[in-house]
Amino acid sequence: IMGCAQSRVALGANGVTPADLLAAEFLFFDCDDTLYQNNWATAERLKASIDKYTVDELGLAPDEAFKLYLEHGTALRGLVKLNHLPESRIEHFLQQVHNVSLEEIGPRPELRAM
């Protein structure tokens, strides 16, 4: 929730408080192959999806999104900071690029037990 990327669901955004998090039935931690591991298959799908979006929707060169990721910590941060993506399109970007298969990610009883 308080991860690396700026997010509208991050603590403090849209009025989200620590009490809100404590009241939540489920929390989803998006840590790209940290909590789940599938030889980076999901991370590679996300990278390809972000690259496709930035090429098709924003007219950037292939691999430009990865360069922004390296320079700014996340592609999204770089896209917004360099005015490639208006803040009004952040939610659209997030919905589109995260629409990837999660087929290899199965139950992990040891994580549930934590």
Side-chain angles (χ1 to χ4, degrees):
I1 298 287
M2 295 170 44
C4 301
Q6 292 177 333
S7 171
R8 294 187 183 270
V9 296
L11 186 61
N14 290 337
V16 175
T17 68
D20 294 328
L21 296 179
L22 291 173
E25 185 174 347
F26 298 99
L27 296 178
F28 180 79
F29 294 89
D30 183 5
C31 298
D32 298 337
D33 273 3
T34 303
L35 294 178
Y36 55 83
Q37 296 182 344
N38 58 9
N39 289 328
W40 297 97
T42 302
E44 287 299 322
R45 279 192 203 102
L46 288 169
K47 180 179 178 285
S49 182
I50 292 168
D51 193 57
K52 180 173 176 19
Y53 184 96
T54 58
V55 170
D56 294 351
E57 298 283 330
L58 305 177
L60 298 181
D63 290 325
E64 183 65 24
F66 188 67
K67 292 175 187 172
L68 293 172
Y69 160 76
L70 293 174
E71 186 175 332
H72 298 277
T74 68
L76 176 57
R77 183 175 293 144
L79 290 169
V80 172
K81 186 174 182 180
L82 298 177
N83 298 312
H84 294 301
L85 183 73
E87 287 193 26
S88 63
R89 289 188 63 196
I90 290 174
E91 288 301 319
H92 180 260
F93 170 83
L94 291 172
Q95 288 174 355
Q96 295 298 309
V97 302
H98 287 96
N99 187 19
V100 298
S101 172
L102 304 174
E103 64 194 45
E104 297 99 354
I105 301 172
R108 298 275 307 271
E110 65 276 19
L111 293 178
R112 182 172 294 281
M114 293 175 76

